[in-house]
Amino acid sequence: MRHYYVLLDDSRISRHIKPVNMDSFKTPFVGMPPAQVLGVHATEDAEYTDWLLFSTLQPLFSDPMKRILELYNTQARFKQVYIVSREPSRQELYWISSVPSVNGISEQTEFYPHDQTLKRLVLDSQKVKGHHFFRLYNVREPYFIVSLEAAESLLRRNLGGFRLQKLELV
């Protein structure tokens, strides 16, 4: 049986970069331009990790992380985001994604009754079979799921800024 993991923000990162204005990122992916600039406040020792998550918006992937993930889902689409810090002067290329959703939750998945957010996520092994990088369909939270193979590929390349949480599978 294949194992699956959810990509989560690494809370151990202490030297974050902070976005100046995220308004243009509230536009749906299809309405976004192919490339855009995101101004940030950053210190000299700020960590530009491979996975950047600002508030509740979807994550930004570094170029090395994007190149790996697109191998595991050829239908995933990416648009460029240039992260620019004026002081200190620095520019980095990141990618925002549109990843196909899979209806992979099992009947054992539990939701909180007051807002229908996930309480306990359980994947259905038959529904997710053959998928390596995807989002969950009909779930409010923006979960990005990777298979064991994709997770190992990310870890072998020493990418950072994220952690992997193993998911239950039936």
Side-chain angles (χ1 to χ4, degrees):
M1 181 181 293
R2 174 176 278 140
H3 297 285
Y4 288 89
Y5 301 85
V6 63
L7 287 163
L8 300 170
D9 201 37
D10 188 347
S11 58
R12 298 172 298 179
I13 306 297
S14 61
R15 295 181 305 274
H16 291 284
I17 59 175
K18 294 172 182 58
V20 175
N21 186 355
M22 296 289 292
D23 288 342
S24 62
F25 292 90
K26 294 177 181 170
T27 305
F29 185 83
V30 294
M32 288 181 176
Q36 53 191 321
V37 174
L38 174 62
V40 297
H41 291 295
T43 59
E44 189 72 42
D45 63 345
E47 294 185 54
Y48 288 79
T49 57
D50 297 291
W51 161 281
L52 291 177
L53 188 61
F54 301 121
S55 68
T56 59
L57 299 176
Q58 63 179 334
L60 298 178
F61 303 106
S62 69
D63 198 51
M65 189 170 189
K66 175 248 186 196
R67 281 188 265 125
I68 293 166
L69 292 174
E70 69 186 346
L71 295 173
Y72 287 97
N73 189 330
T74 58
Q75 271 102 45
R77 297 291 169 249
F78 296 88
K79 293 185 178 183
Q80 296 175 337
V81 177
Y82 290 95
I83 294 183
V84 177
S85 173
R86 294 188 191 278
E87 293 293 325
S89 180
R90 184 170 178 176
Q91 176 179 311
E92 297 290 333
L93 171 62
Y94 279 83
W95 299 86
I96 194 162
S97 68
S98 173
V99 180
S101 298
V102 172
N103 186 6
I105 60 174
S106 79
E107 293 177 4
Q108 295 178 17
T109 295
E110 298 174 19
F111 294 90
Y112 288 105
H114 65 285
D115 65 356
Q116 292 302 304
T117 55
L118 281 174
K119 181 177 185 180
R120 179 175 159 243
L121 174 59
V122 181
L123 296 179
D124 184 319
S125 60
Q126 293 305 311
K127 292 179 181 178
V128 297
K129 186 178 183 179
H131 296 280
H132 294 280
F133 172 52
F134 59 93
R135 292 182 69 166
L136 289 175
Y137 179 75
N138 277 344
V139 175
R140 292 182 69 184
E141 298 92 333
Y143 283 116
F144 286 83
I145 312 293
V146 292
S147 67
L148 175 62
E149 295 86 347
E152 287 176 338
S153 200
L154 294 171
L155 294 173
R156 274 195 304 271
R157 286 156 183 87
N158 289 328
L159 301 180
F162 65 93
R163 61 186 176 87
L164 298 167
Q165 180 180 334
K166 190 174 181 179
L167 295 171
E168 290 183 66
L169 205 61
V170 292

